[in-house]
Amino acid sequence: VTDALSRPAALARGVGWLPSGLRGELLQGEPMSRHTTWRVGGPVERFYRPADRLDLSRFLAAVPESEPLYWCGFGSNLLVRDGGLRGTVICLHPGLVAIDIRATEGRIVVDAGAPCARVARLASRAGLVGAEFLAGVPGTIGGALTMNAGAHGGETWSLVAAVETIDRSGRIHQRAACQYHAGYRSVVGPPDEWFVGAVLRLASGDARAATGRLRDLLARRAASQPIGRPSCGSVFRNPPGAHAAALIESAGLKGQRLGGAEVSVKHANFIINADGGSANDIEALIQLVQRRVLEVHGVALEPECRIIGVADSAQQGGPIP
Ligand SMILES: Cc1cc2nc3c(=O)[nH]c(=O)nc-3n(C[C@H](O)[C@H](O)[C@H](O)COP(=O)(O)OP(=O)(O)OC[C@H]3O[C@@H](n4cnc5c(N)ncnc54)[C@H](O)[C@@H]3O)c2cc1C
């Protein structure tokens, strides 16, 4: 983590409330396209990467009530509109990324900025089984906890024993998993807190079998999903008893283009940024898919990805509101 806050430029543009001696990185006017897997998104006023928990606590204790805060991991489930965001985006990678594998206890103590794929690999190599599905989730543990990320029958919250959270005043809380209600790609728990770490509980098993399973799951993904193209994974939630991909495909939308955005021909629930598309292209294509699936099947698809920010600030005639 670079010590950007010690550079006068970081402090110069009117961020008077920053406490001195912060050790993380603060970027101003940072394009969110650099922090989302769709590679789109306008600028955020401030993008902050704390060096560690203490740095984050000090930042939060100083941040005024009026400053909008948003958290992101790898932006692998985020559509940030082209006009960007007001306030500060906080990202725990690469400051909080420790992964402590306690194989004999059947536990992993992990920071929320750690990549899911790394947790899955280290767990299976250590003979802890059940987290293999996380290998294909290209986000952080914080994002996986928020989204209750899941795949191939596994779900993040089925592994969680406890979490560590932080509130807006910078206070850390230890919470048991039973304080949260996890559902399909969602979780509800104590309000106004964000994840800084978790304790995962896994069963002991055979390391070779677990790593083999992990490789199989990745191979299945590579065969069925447009891995390597800019996307956010599945765009829509599966409606009860149906598959969004099948509804989209049978509505004749595979390969549908709008600007630089395209409904993947490999997996109809993926929209890829095929050709320098904007967030506006992607959002317009999301809406087109919703309209067409409603007309053809009478089913209202709901986005799984989180859509944030404002449309083009130029269109709105001014700076980020
Ligand atoms: C190719 C591809 C394949 C995918 N496959 C899957 C899959 O199989 N299963 C699946 O469930 N998802 C999948 N996804 C979607 C995505 O990877 C997951 O939703 C992931 O959990 C998001 O993690 P992230 O760290 O990138 O979070 P982000 O996209 O950065 O953020 C997602 C949400 O989490 C919040 N958040 C992030 N960090 C924190 C924190 N520390 N505290 C509180 N809130 C936080 C953000 O505010 C936001 O609301 C896929 C995406 C891609 C691109």
Side-chain angles (χ1 to χ4, degrees):
V1 176
T2 56
D3 197 352
L5 287 179
S6 62
R7 284 188 229 137
L11 297 167
R13 282 192 275 157
V15 192
W17 44 263
L18 282 180
S20 62
L22 281 188
R23 289 165 292 112
E25 183 177 44
L26 184 84
L27 303 167
Q28 302 217 52
E30 175 69 358
M32 284 303 293
S33 53
R34 294 187 185 151
H35 305 284
T36 60
T37 53
W38 251 322
R39 305 275 171 260
V40 296
V44 62
E45 285 180 301
R46 284 166 278 285
F47 187 89
Y48 171 58
R49 289 180 174 126
D52 53 30
R53 280 169 176 69
L54 182 61
D55 203 43
L56 175 62
S57 281
R58 296 192 59 224
F59 180 88
L60 288 171
V63 82
E65 270 300 306
S66 57
E67 177 78 352
L69 294 182
Y70 201 83
W71 294 62
C72 88
F74 290 152
S76 62
N77 216 25
L78 278 186
L79 180 60
V80 181
R81 294 192 178 99
D82 300 314
L85 290 166
R86 269 190 62 205
T88 300
V89 169
I90 297 174
C91 176
L92 301 187
H93 187 92
L96 281 85
V97 292
I99 303 172
D100 181 6
I101 305 277
R102 302 182 184 173
T104 51
E105 298 169 25
R107 293 196 307 160
I108 300 176
V109 181
V110 63
D111 282 349
C116 294
R118 189 164 160 70
V119 173
R121 268 199 316 277
L122 294 179
S124 52
R125 273 189 217 151
L128 290 177
V129 303
E132 296 89 299
F133 73 91
L134 283 176
V137 176
T140 60
I141 290 295
L145 289 167
T146 307
M147 299 304 304
N148 192 18
H152 314 288
E155 265 190 355
T156 303
W157 276 85
S158 65
L159 308 176
V160 176
V163 290
E164 194 177 40
T165 64
I166 196 162
D167 64 25
R168 218 188 138 107
S169 69
R171 267 201 13 211
I172 301 260
H173 305 264
Q174 311 295 331
R175 305 267 181 219
C178 62
Q179 292 179 265
Y180 293 81
H181 177 72
Y184 171 51
R185 301 294 170 268
S186 70
V187 69
V188 180
D192 304 322
E193 293 178 12
W194 299 279
F195 299 110
V196 287
V199 179
L200 308 181
R201 184 166 295 140
L202 285 97
S204 293
D206 181 59
R208 190 187 287 252
T211 49
R213 239 182 346 263
L214 185 152
R215 271 198 297 274
D216 286 351
L217 295 179
L218 290 179
R220 271 163 59 186
R221 267 175 192 269
S224 62
Q225 300 179 358
I227 303 299
R229 309 296 303 278
S231 82
C232 81
S234 291
V235 175
F236 298 102
R237 302 159 68 86
N238 286 323
H243 281 109
L247 297 172
I248 297 166
E249 184 170 353
S250 59
L253 288 163
K254 257 192 172 179
Q256 173 77 47
R257 285 287 284 257
L258 214 161
E262 180 183 307
V263 175
S264 166
V265 288
K266 200 163 179 185
H267 190 306
N269 200 13
F270 279 54
I271 288 180
I272 55 173
N273 184 356
D275 187 16
S278 62
N280 196 45
D281 293 344
I282 293 169
E283 192 170 9
L285 188 52
I286 289 174
Q287 289 165 356
L288 186 153
V289 169
Q290 286 176 311
R291 278 197 306 276
R292 198 74 68 76
V293 168
L294 187 61
E295 278 162 23
V296 174
H297 299 294
V299 176
L301 289 179
E302 272 179 50
E304 177 183 316
C305 61
R306 306 256 169 123
I307 303 176
I308 57 172
V310 294
D312 195 345
S313 58
Q315 282 168 12
Q316 306 206 349
I320 301 166

